[in-house]
Every structure is written in C-alpha cells, then in structure tokens.
Amino acid sequence: MPKITVLPHTELCPQGAVIEAEAGTTICDALLKHDIDIDNACGGVCACTTCHVVVREGFKTLNEIDEDEDDMLDRAWGLTPQSRLSCQAILQATDVTVEIPKYSINLAKEGHH
Ligand code: FES
C-alpha cells in the first residue's frame, strides 16, 4: 500500500505521521481515517478549500486536477503549484508527502464567531 508522509502541523499532527492507505483512496479520507482531523467543510464535494494540502513529493503521481478543483483551489489560503484539494486527490500506487497548510479558509465557520 502506498504511504502518505504527513509533515508536522501544530494542531492536527504535531509530530508528523506516516500512514498507509489503499490506492484509490482520497488523501482526505486517508488522513481522517488515521485521526488527522483535516477540515472538510463541504464533506468532500469540491465546494470549499478547507481540505487544501500541499503535495511536497509525488504530486505528479496523483490523478489530474479537473476544472472544478482548479477553480476552487484558486481561493485557497497559501496556494502553491503543488496544491491539491485533498478530497479530490486520489492516491495511486506511489508514496506521497503532504503538508497541511497552517491556515484554511472556512467561511462557514468564520461566520459563527
Ligand atoms: Fe471541501 Fe475538499 S472538503 S473541497
């Protein structure tokens, strides 16, 4: 099974982690399954940017970004050329390294504060 190396994130995963997930799983699902509680405000339907991750290694091995994801990504905090919405990024057979950005933009949540 491919491995996902998760770089340390102060709140979600302070020590970093290496997890395994089956090919065909989205990165978001894999993280959640291993108690790395990445935001996924829209429930994984490509309608927010809270599940944004930066794929530091293995970016090219993932499925291609479609137009909807590309449009949403434009609004993500801290966008990089290796950014993906993790709920749309499907693991293939290759290991990847991901970084969860320090901030995410969750308009729904901000509205409640
Ligand atoms: Fe909303 Fe991924 S969870 S786009």
Side-chain angles (χ1 to χ4, degrees), residues 13-30:
C13 177
Q15 310 295 326
V18 179
I19 62 180
E20 285 193 338
E22 282 185 44
T25 319
T26 66
I27 292 181
C28 186
D29 282 345

Side-chain angles (χ1 to χ4, degrees), residues 39-51 85-88:
D39 273 338
N40 54 110
C42 76
V45 296
C46 200
C48 71
T49 61
T50 60
C51 69
L85 294 178
S86 63
C87 72
Q88 305 297 310

Side-chain angles (χ1 to χ4, degrees), residues 48-78:
C48 71
T49 61
T50 60
C51 69
H52 172 209
V53 294
V54 179
V55 185
R56 294 287 176 203
E57 277 171 48
F59 181 80
K60 292 213 171 84
T61 68
L62 299 170
N63 61 318
E64 282 195 22
I65 300 184
D66 68 16
E67 218 175 293
D68 287 345
E69 182 181 352
D70 208 36
D71 284 351
M72 279 320 290
L73 263 178
D74 276 346
R75 306 183 206 178
W77 183 91

